[in-house]
Amino acid sequence: ATTATPAPFDALVVDQLSRLSRDIGDTDAIVKQLKFLDIRIIAVQDGIDTADETTKISVTVKSLVNEIFLDDLRKTTKRGLDGQFLKGFSTGGRTYGFRSEPVYDATGRVDAHGHPISIGYRLFIDETEAAILREIIRRFAEGMCEKSIAKALNRTYPGQNWRPNTIYMMLRNSKYVGIFTFNRREWRKNPTTGRRVYRWRPKEQWEVKVFEDLRIVDEETWEK
């Protein structure tokens, strides 16, 4: 839209200002852009209407509160994942060679629908995938490169579309010898592009646990 083109609507109505964004910078940019286009923002629960010039301070304060809430939520979520990791539960994601199964509350608690309540997901070795993984590592130890291994797998197991970079990452995943690491990296939003990118945390912040029952490859083969 331009100043010569009428806005397609007069107002944007949201339940709360947080529905626009919980980032104070993003909220400010959205409010300014819509104001430039003569579009009001009405946050019903917050009692904010940007058509009223006196709400500028309210928008800033509410945006700051929303951002602080998101920071606290992020920390709470991470603490929860820390606890799951230390208990030996999955913290999310899918790693080839493993499967996860729910662990239910030992007291037999159920949810509102009568279903057992899960307290986490325990990892187990997927023997079918583990056999293919051992084949990949054996071939590499015998001198085959990732590209050759991918071609061989695509001939043997059609439909799975194996790629050299997939093989490359698998060959460097310590989970296959039972070493699991958590808290190695964190996601941050690039303030320029708005995209989320990850950053490696200092090694002293990493959490490492060894689960011998989840070892797929023996130490000698892994070292080769």
Side-chain angles (χ1 to χ4, degrees):
T2 66
T3 53
T5 304
F9 49 89
D10 298 321
L12 175 64
V13 182
V14 293
D15 182 50
Q16 295 178 326
L17 202 61
S18 61
R19 298 304 87 202
L20 285 178
S21 175
R22 289 191 185 275
D23 182 282
I24 188 170
D26 287 348
T27 302
D28 183 60
I30 293 170
V31 170
K32 286 180 178 178
Q33 181 64 30
L34 292 183
K35 189 172 183 179
F36 173 74
L37 299 172
D38 292 325
I39 297 175
R40 300 159 56 193
I41 296 177
I42 302 172
V44 180
Q45 292 293 331
D46 299 327
I48 292 175
D49 184 345
T50 57
D52 184 352
E53 290 295 334
T54 62
T55 62
K56 187 172 183 178
I57 294 177
S58 299
V59 170
T60 302
V61 172
K62 193 62 182 179
S63 298
L64 179 59
V65 170
N66 290 335
E67 184 169 300
I68 292 174
F69 172 82
L70 188 62
D71 289 340
D72 289 341
L73 181 62
R74 187 180 297 112
K75 291 176 183 177
T76 301
T77 301
K78 184 182 177 302
R79 283 199 300 271
L81 290 175
D82 282 339
Q84 294 295 84
F85 177 77
L86 294 175
K87 293 174 185 175
F89 291 159
S90 170
T91 55
R94 167 80 165 89
T95 302
Y96 189 85
F98 299 100
R99 58 182 172 82
S100 62
E101 294 182 1
V103 177
Y104 297 110
D105 192 324
T107 63
R109 288 191 303 143
V110 296
D111 60 21
H113 302 286
H115 301 141
I117 294 177
S118 170
I119 60 173
Y121 283 80
R122 183 80 66 186
L123 285 177
F124 295 90
I125 294 175
D126 184 309
E127 293 300 340
T128 300
E129 294 183 352
I132 297 175
L133 176 69
R134 294 186 186 101
E135 178 184 345
I136 291 171
I137 293 179
R138 176 183 57 78
R139 288 174 181 270
F140 187 77
E142 292 173 353
M144 289 183 69
C145 68
E146 293 94 326
K147 187 174 182 179
S148 298
I149 294 174
K151 287 182 177 179
L153 291 175
N154 284 324
R155 288 194 299 267
T156 308
Y157 308 100
Q160 294 195 23
N161 194 23
W162 290 93
R163 298 176 181 274
N165 62 323
T166 303
I167 306 297
Y168 176 88
M169 297 302 296
M170 293 172 74
L171 290 167
R172 286 152 181 78
N173 193 336
S174 63
K175 290 181 180 179
Y176 296 133
V177 284
I179 302 174
F180 286 70
T181 307
F182 181 67
N183 202 42
R184 288 188 301 176
R185 60 187 189 180
E186 63 177 333
W187 287 92
R188 298 181 184 176
K189 186 169 73 171
N190 186 318
T192 303
T193 64
R195 293 184 177 181
R196 294 176 71 247
V197 296
Y198 70 81
R199 291 285 185 270
W200 291 104
R201 297 180 187 270
K203 281 195 173 183
E204 57 268 21
Q205 295 182 11
W206 294 8
E207 299 173 27
V208 181
K209 282 185 71 69
V210 178
F211 300 101
E212 281 296 332
D213 59 320
L214 295 178
R215 175 191 284 270
I216 294 177
V217 183
D218 65 85
E219 195 66 35
E220 182 180 355
T221 305
W222 182 254
E223 287 302 318
K224 286 182 182 180

